[in-house]
Amino acid sequence: MRRPWLAANWKMYKTVPESLAYAQELWHLLSDIKGWDQALDLAIFPNALALWPFAEKWAATAIGIGAQNLDPGTEGALTGGTSGFLLREAGARFVIVGHSERRKYFGETDEIVRTKTEAALEAGLGPIVCVGESQDERRQGETLKVVHRQVRQAIETLEPSHVRRVTIAYEPVWAIGSGLVPTPEEVARVAEAIRADVADLAGSEARDQIRILYGGSVNDQNLLSFLDTPDVDGALIGGAALNAANLAKMARRIMDRDPLMKSGQ
Ligand code: 13P
C-alpha cells in the first residue's frame, strides 16, 4: 500500500534558526498524535542553507528532509551550483524538481527538468517532479495534454526501477498561492492520466508504486477531499505549511479519518 505523504515546501522563507524552531515545535505537536510515524510520511523542504543543521538534528527521526532544487552534476567548477550529491551529503533524501516557480522565474524547460530528475536519482535522492497547467492552458482544455507532455519528458528515459522512485506532484499553476483549487474530480482525472502514462512508460508495477501528490492552495480544510481521490497519495503544501501547528493539524486529519491508520495497519 502507498503511504499518504505530507510534503511541506517552504519556498524562500525561514532563516536557519526559524527552520529549527519550527521543527522543534512540529516534533512536539506530532508527539501527541499516536502512531503517525507508522501511518504516514511527512517531509519538510527548507531552504538549502537549513538542510545541514536541520538534518543533524532531525535525520534520525520520522521527519523526512528534502531540498527544493538541485543542479545537475556531482561537483566541479560550476560557480553557485548545488548538486544532488552535495544535497544528499547535507542530509536531504528528496528533492523537488521542476516546480512551476522554477519553470517560470528560472527558465527551466522540460529538458532541464528531465536532466535534473536523472541527476537526483543518480545522487540517491527521491525526486518530486512537479507538473501542471497554467490558467490559459486550462481554459483552452489543454490540462491533460500539458501534464502528459511534462510527465513523459521528465521520466521517459528512465529505467522502470528508477521511475518507481519518482513522485509526481500535480500542481496546477493557477492554484498555487491563489486560494483557488480544482475539484477533486478534476484532480482525479489528471492523477489517473498520470498513472496511465507511467504504466505506458515503465509498466504496471511502476504505475502501482509511484506516488502522486496534489499541490496548490491545500489547507487543513480541503486536504482530505484530495487525499480521498483514489490515485492521489498526498499533498505538496506551500503557504499553509509555513506554520507548524497547521501541518500537525493536517497530519491529525489524516490519522482521524481512518481508525486503521491509528494502529498503523
Ligand atoms: P501553496 O500551497 O501556497 O498554494 O503552494 C503550493 C506549492 O507551490 C507547493 O509546492
Side-chain angles (χ1 to χ4, degrees):
M1 202 185 116
R2 299 184 303 264
R3 275 156 70 112
W5 194 9
L6 289 180
N9 174 11
W10 286 354
K11 308 192 179 183
M12 205 166 70
Y13 293 104
K14 295 196 190 294
T15 63
V16 174
E18 284 167 352
S19 303
L20 296 176
Y22 176 115
Q24 187 72 49
E25 186 189 351
L26 180 67
W27 187 248
H28 175 71
L29 293 165
L30 290 173
S31 67
D32 285 340
I33 308 177
K34 199 168 159 284
W36 75 268
D37 52 339
Q38 304 300 312
L40 62 101
D41 291 335
L42 188 145
I44 306 292
F45 293 76
N47 179 274
L49 293 173
L51 279 175
W52 172 254
F54 201 103
E56 264 200 322
K57 195 150 169 35
W58 301 101
T61 72
I63 297 181
I65 303 164
Q68 299 173 16
N69 178 41
L70 81 163
D71 292 303
T74 307
E75 56 186 11
L78 292 157
T79 302
T82 308
S83 68
F85 167 74
L86 293 176
L87 294 169
R88 217 190 68 146
E89 287 300 296
R93 287 173 49 215
F94 312 100
V95 62
I96 298 171
V97 180
H99 192 283
S100 64
E101 288 150 16
R102 297 220 48 99
R103 292 181 192 256
K104 182 172 173 194
Y105 301 116
F106 299 89
E108 291 195 3
T109 60
D110 287 340
E111 180 60 34
I112 294 173
V113 173
R114 178 215 308 263
T115 311
K116 290 190 170 189
T117 304
E118 288 170 355
L121 289 162
E122 265 164 39
L125 296 168
I128 299 183
V129 177
C130 299
V131 299
E133 81 288 1
S134 66
Q135 184 65 282
D136 276 355
E137 290 162 337
R138 179 175 196 238
R139 285 205 193 100
Q140 285 158 27
E142 291 186 344
T143 298
L144 290 182
K145 190 174 132 200
V146 170
V147 169
H148 178 74
R149 190 199 73 227
Q150 292 176 333
V151 169
R152 290 190 90 86
Q153 292 269 326
I155 65 171
E156 69 188 349
T157 55
L158 302 177
E159 299 282 321
S161 61
H162 277 181
V163 172
R164 281 179 225 148
R165 290 169 45 209
V166 174
T167 297
I168 308 275
Y170 171 51
E171 297 207 310
V173 180
W174 53 271
I176 294 174
S178 64
L180 304 172
V181 288
T183 64
E185 291 73 26
E186 286 174 297
V187 175
R189 205 165 58 100
V190 175
E192 193 186 344
I194 293 172
R195 277 200 204 280
D197 273 334
V198 172
D200 191 35
L201 292 167
S204 55
E205 245 181 83
R207 176 199 60 207
D208 295 340
Q209 284 179 12
I210 200 167
R211 284 199 287 191
I212 298 178
L213 310 181
Y214 167 74
S217 295
V218 172
N219 57 41
D220 73 285
Q221 299 297 318
N222 62 22
L223 172 75
L224 292 187
S225 69
F226 299 116
L227 261 67
D228 286 341
T229 306
D231 283 307
V232 174
D233 306 303
L236 182 55
I237 309 149
L242 286 172
N243 174 296
N246 273 347
L247 189 60
K249 209 191 270 180
M250 290 189 235
R252 190 180 285 281
R253 285 226 188 259
I254 295 177
M255 296 300 289
D256 284 349
R257 92 175 151 170
D258 183 352
L260 277 183
M261 287 269 187
K262 291 203 171 117
S263 56
Q265 288 172 37

